[in-house]
């Protein structure tokens, strides 16, 4: 089984039971990720999808050539796009940025003073021909100076905005330990992940729209080509352990003032009092 189903009571109360919370935390520690299936209301996810497509499509038309062929050997031929989101409704809804199923987990793994540091999307668009190279979303902190595994520093939270199937470009993950290597394994000069991954066990993240995927940012994974005729977007947020930070997410003061205490705390080091940023890839 890839994902966990939350109970009707957990969904109604917006609170994980003590057992689910503990299981989820242990799963992230040993397996690198946990997936809660269909945890956001369908109507909210459909609204997010519709708004997102209205944002993505004109942006894509304007920037088609650079997006499709960035020339970096990473997204060339994949039809994958990473788009930063403007900090406005419906994207900055509390259920997205401070979802209680997520905050309970990130608080325990990263500390209650953790931060929300990234507000974007990854979309596998129709027509991709090749998968991305297998990669982790982090780099080595100490290189060869510290050949030991480090504590979790960042958790990535993905919300798929459509049902993800074999056919529409599921993210593929190499679980079970690819986040537990010594720090220097996440450096650019580490042994080729794509080469090793070919001989390792992987899992496709098939999940209903509105699921919540929480993963250690070191877990090896890749985007795969979308063979359907509809975008497959994942919202992608990063929660990070507290530390020195120069904020990047632009949040108007009025928007910030209306956030819950928890969301304000998560975003306290971002660019508060700045206008909403235009979408960019
Ligand atoms: O959303 C996905 O399919 C994964 C994309 C990805 O890993 C990336 O763009 O770095």
């Amino acid at each position: 089984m890839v994902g966990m189903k939350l109970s009707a009571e957990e969904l109604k109360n917006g609170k994980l039971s003590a057992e689910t919370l503990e299981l989820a935390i242990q799963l992230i520690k040993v397996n690198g990720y946990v997936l809660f299936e269909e945890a956001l209301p369908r109507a909210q996810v459909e609204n997010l999808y519709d708004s997102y497509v209205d944002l993505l499509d004109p942006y894509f038309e304007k920037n088609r050539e650079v997006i499709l062929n960035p020339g970096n050997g990473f997204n060339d031929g994949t039809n994958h796009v990473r788009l930063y989101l403007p900090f406005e409704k419906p994207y900055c809804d509390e259920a997205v940025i401070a979802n209680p199923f997520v905050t309970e987990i990130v608080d325990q793994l990263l500390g209650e003073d953790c931060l929300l540091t990234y507000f974007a999307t990854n979309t596998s668009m129709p027509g991709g021909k090749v998968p991305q190279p297998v990669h982790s979303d982090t780099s080595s902190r100490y290189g060869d100076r510290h050949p030991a595994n480090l504590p979790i520093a960042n958790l990535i939270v993905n919300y798929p905005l459509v049902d993800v199937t074999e056919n529409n470009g599921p993210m593929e993950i190499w679980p079970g330990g690819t986040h537990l290597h010594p720090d220097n394994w996440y450096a650019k000069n580490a042994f080729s992940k794509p080469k090793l991954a070919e001989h390792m066990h992987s899992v496709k993240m098939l999940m209903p729209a509105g699921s919540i995927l929480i993963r250690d940012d070191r877990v090896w994974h890749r985007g795969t080509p979308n063979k359907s005729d509809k975008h497959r977007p994942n919202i992608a947020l990063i929660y990070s352990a507290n530390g020195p930070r120069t904020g990047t997410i632009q949040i108007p003061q009025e928007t910030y003032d209306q956030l819950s205490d928890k969301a304000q705390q998560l975003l306290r080091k971002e660019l508060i009092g700045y206008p909403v940023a235009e979408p960019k890839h």
Side-chain angles (χ1 to χ4, degrees), residues 80-187:
H80 261 256
V81 58
R82 187 253 322 265
L83 194 71
Y84 290 99
L85 284 174
F87 199 89
E88 63 190 6
K89 289 284 171 88
Y91 316 113
C92 69
D93 191 88
E94 292 281 333
V96 175
I97 60 175
N99 189 293
F101 300 137
V102 171
T103 52
E104 282 192 275
I105 290 175
V106 297
D107 279 0
Q108 284 218 16
L109 285 169
L110 303 173
E112 282 181 10
D113 57 351
C114 68
L115 305 165
L116 173 52
T117 53
Y118 184 86
F119 193 60
T121 52
N122 293 112
T123 303
S124 182
M125 294 188 301
K129 297 282 181 284
V130 291
Q132 293 175 329
V134 180
H135 60 281
S136 27
D137 282 338
T138 185
S139 54
S140 166
R141 195 139 168 203
Y142 299 109
D144 293 332
R145 288 182 294 124
H146 189 72
N149 184 255
L150 296 176
I152 296 181
N154 298 297
L155 284 164
I156 303 188
V157 175
N158 290 126
Y159 300 98
L161 299 185
V162 294
D163 293 334
V164 184
T165 66
E166 282 282 351
N167 197 45
N168 65 354
M171 183 194 307
E172 190 173 3
I173 283 192
W174 276 256
T178 55
H179 61 305
L180 296 177
H181 293 305
D183 179 53
N184 54 1
W185 270 76
Y186 307 100

Side-chain angles (χ1 to χ4, degrees), residues 40-70:
L40 292 185
R42 206 23 85 155
Q44 180 173 19
V45 177
E46 283 170 5
N47 181 35
L48 281 163
Y49 178 83
D50 291 343
S51 305
Y52 176 66
V53 169
D54 286 347
L55 195 74
L56 174 67
D57 281 349
Y59 185 86
F60 176 69
E61 279 319 312
K62 250 201 237 155
N63 300 279
R64 172 182 276 273
E65 285 319 308
V66 226
I67 291 177
L68 291 183
N69 292 300

